[in-house]
Amino acid sequence: MPAYQLHLKDKRIEWGNAIDVESLIGTYPQDSIRTGENAALDWKLPDGIYRAKEVVIELDKLLEAILVQLGEPIDGNPSVLLDSLQANLAISGDLSSLPLGPLALKDKAGVEITAQAARIGEQLVLWAREINSEKRALAQYGPETLGELEFRSHCYGHTLIPEAIAQVWGPAGGPKVMQLYNEYLHQFVLLRDALLPFANWEQVPFEVKEHTQFKGLRFLEPARKIFLTQLLGKELTHKAIVQYAQSVVSSGLTSAGYGFQYSLGTVLPAGLGESAGTAARYLLKWHPVQTIEIEDTQDIVAISFEYEYDDYYAAPRDEAGAGIPGSKDHLHISEDHSDLPSIARLLPNTESDRTTVRFSFEREGNASTVDLGQLFRGHRFSYRPEKNSHSKDAAVERPSTSIHQVADILSHPGLVTNTDAGVHFISTGGNELVQWALLGKLYPENVVLLGKGDQEELEAALVSGKGYGTQFLVL
């Protein structure tokens, strides 16, 4: 199998073996509408591998059954019921099932998840409208079969817009239709919430297994409850997001690091392959790659990726040193960036009871490696230059300004810091692979990522971060 490649502009990151999951999607041993208890027609997601859109296709069968059972004068028009679905999946409004908008979460994880919830909800509704317009289920089953679909939906709390209430509880509606519509709404809510951790949520494949006590995606409810409690309580950590993602894709893993491999690929923080200055800090991304290959088996084994140092505070540290004296008003270094790397590789280490991964590249024949987990940790804790109206008042008197070469910083053992409370500037020549590596090498306390390095940005950078102690500026 070819090595998996992730492209970052003119750079790339390589690792593992690329895998093909496409043939597994959408092939199921049973139909979702089939005879259930007491010989009644029931709806269940059959065992199989799904992506989000495949679930929406199966859920449309419920909506088409509802429309058939409502009959005239609705006459197959789903607009009202889909408008009510949209109101449930919105992040604001009285009907919102996850009202993150009014909460205005300020923590970085909360901000990213809030934007995710809005994006996913909007796209799911677009798919629901598009798929229903095709009337696939009506063509497949016919009105008589869809008219017989009936089951009990054990869920409470999803409210409807007034027009939907009038339809569902109107002359042609009643408890039977309400049960189907209730389940339809709830499965969409579960689907939206299940995909919140993943930046590329449309692509994520996950396994569904039928459970006697759970219908469709309801097997996710216990993990979802814990996750939303942490999110709404403003106690959501990166580890909690990883734990939830592991549950969503049925990895079987109980411990959580910063990422993991499961039967259908690898999940890592979403920043990998993106520009460090703009990448998401807390979201994850699925990759179709087998990162760890286990001998004597063709199955992809579930493995958690652990940090080299569980507690970065206890990790060995080394002084960056004085560097080259510079001025905070003009940071420049005459360093040749022509030999900076264009390819980085992820190198797994499975020789102990913990699996770690190194981020590695070569420059001038010398290899530089940092712990991948620490790289992501450094990114989460990094700062961006922030302008504010009190920037002059907030300025910190720094005793010194130093300029460092990339090779010098990366050559140090342990994590690099300094105790001089000065400014330490490192230019990467805009090489984003090196920028990521530095985030895995610098002690993650007061590191500011620059975008342009002009005077305005430098002034903002000097008052960004903690406002005290040694400051590292990375351009």
Side-chain angles (χ1 to χ4, degrees), residues 165-184:
I165 294 174
Q167 285 191 1
V168 172
W169 287 107
K176 179 183 174 183
V177 169
M178 185 61 217
Q179 295 295 314
L180 299 182
Y181 188 55
N182 186 72
E183 193 64 34
Y184 178 78

Side-chain angles (χ1 to χ4, degrees), residues 146-222:
L146 293 178
E148 295 174 5
L149 186 63
E150 181 178 7
F151 55 78
R152 173 79 166 94
S153 174
H154 294 278
C155 175
Y156 310 94
H158 295 304
T159 51
L160 314 182
I161 61 175
E163 296 85 352
I165 294 174
Q167 285 191 1
V168 172
W169 287 107
K176 179 183 174 183
V177 169
M178 185 61 217
Q179 295 295 314
L180 299 182
Y181 188 55
N182 186 72
E183 193 64 34
Y184 178 78
L185 293 176
H186 190 60
Q187 293 290 330
F188 264 102
V189 169
L190 290 174
L191 179 60
R192 187 269 315 274
D193 294 351
L195 299 168
L196 290 176
F198 304 100
N200 60 338
W201 61 272
E202 307 101 315
Q203 302 173 29
V204 178
F206 54 92
E207 185 175 11
V208 172
K209 292 185 177 180
E210 284 192 38
H211 301 270
T212 304
Q213 68 273 39
F214 298 124
K215 181 180 287 292
L217 300 178
R218 286 177 176 268
F219 69 94
L220 296 170
E221 286 177 330

Side-chain angles (χ1 to χ4, degrees), residues 19 21 25 49-51 198 203-207 245-253 259-268 285-292 299-305:
I19 60 176
V21 301
I25 308 293
I49 308 301
Y50 293 80
R51 285 194 173 116
F198 304 100
Q203 302 173 29
V204 178
F206 54 92
E207 185 175 11
Q246 290 176 174
S247 298
V248 167
V249 300
S250 303
S251 70
L253 295 168
F260 61 95
Q261 172 177 289
Y262 73 115
S263 62
L264 299 170
T266 292
V267 174
L268 291 170
K285 189 174 183 179
W286 168 81
H287 300 275
V289 58
Q290 182 179 10
T291 299
I292 310 293
D299 295 331
I300 300 179
V301 178
I303 297 174
S304 176
F305 303 138

Side-chain angles (χ1 to χ4, degrees), residues 64 157 169 253 277 351 417:
E64 292 199 45
W169 287 107
L253 295 168
E351 294 180 358
T417 185

Side-chain angles (χ1 to χ4, degrees), residues 283-426:
L283 296 180
L284 306 174
K285 189 174 183 179
W286 168 81
H287 300 275
V289 58
Q290 182 179 10
T291 299
I292 310 293
E293 186 175 5
I294 306 298
E295 296 181 1
D296 302 325
T297 180
Q298 294 184 346
D299 295 331
I300 300 179
V301 178
I303 297 174
S304 176
F305 303 138
E306 307 293 337
Y307 296 95
E308 181 178 13
Y309 300 105
D310 287 333
D311 181 3
Y312 69 91
Y313 187 80
R317 305 183 206 178
D318 200 37
E319 293 277 315
I324 302 170
S327 166
K328 64 181 178 63
D329 297 320
H330 180 66
L331 296 173
H332 176 72
I333 185 168
S334 57
E335 181 178 0
D336 181 11
H337 294 115
S338 62
D339 195 38
L340 288 178
S342 60
I343 302 174
R345 293 179 172 85
L346 305 189
L347 307 175
N349 178 17
T350 58
E351 294 180 358
S352 68
D353 59 346
R354 300 168 67 250
T355 297
T356 59
V357 181
R358 307 288 287 176
F359 181 88
S360 175
F361 55 73
E362 289 189 4
R363 184 189 181 197
E364 298 178 342
N366 297 315
S368 296
T369 65
V370 298
D371 178 58
L372 185 64
Q374 186 63 36
L375 176 152
F376 291 128
R377 181 186 269 154
H379 181 245
R380 288 199 304 277
F381 295 166
S382 64
Y383 295 92
R384 311 289 186 272
E386 295 181 4
K387 300 178 183 178
N388 62 70
S389 58
H390 307 291
S391 58
K392 291 184 178 179
D393 298 334
V396 177
E397 285 297 324
R398 304 281 184 181
S400 62
T401 301
S402 303
I403 300 172
H404 298 265
Q405 295 193 352
V406 167
D408 292 339
I409 297 295
L410 293 179
S411 66
H412 284 274
L415 301 181
V416 175
T417 185
N418 241 46
T419 56
D420 62 359
V423 175
H424 296 264
F425 176 76
I426 311 166

Side-chain angles (χ1 to χ4, degrees), residues 55-73:
V55 176
V56 176
I57 290 171
E58 296 302 324
L59 287 173
D60 181 65
K61 297 176 181 179
L62 290 178
L63 180 57
E64 292 199 45
I66 293 167
L67 294 171
V68 166
Q69 293 181 26
L70 288 175
E72 299 286 354

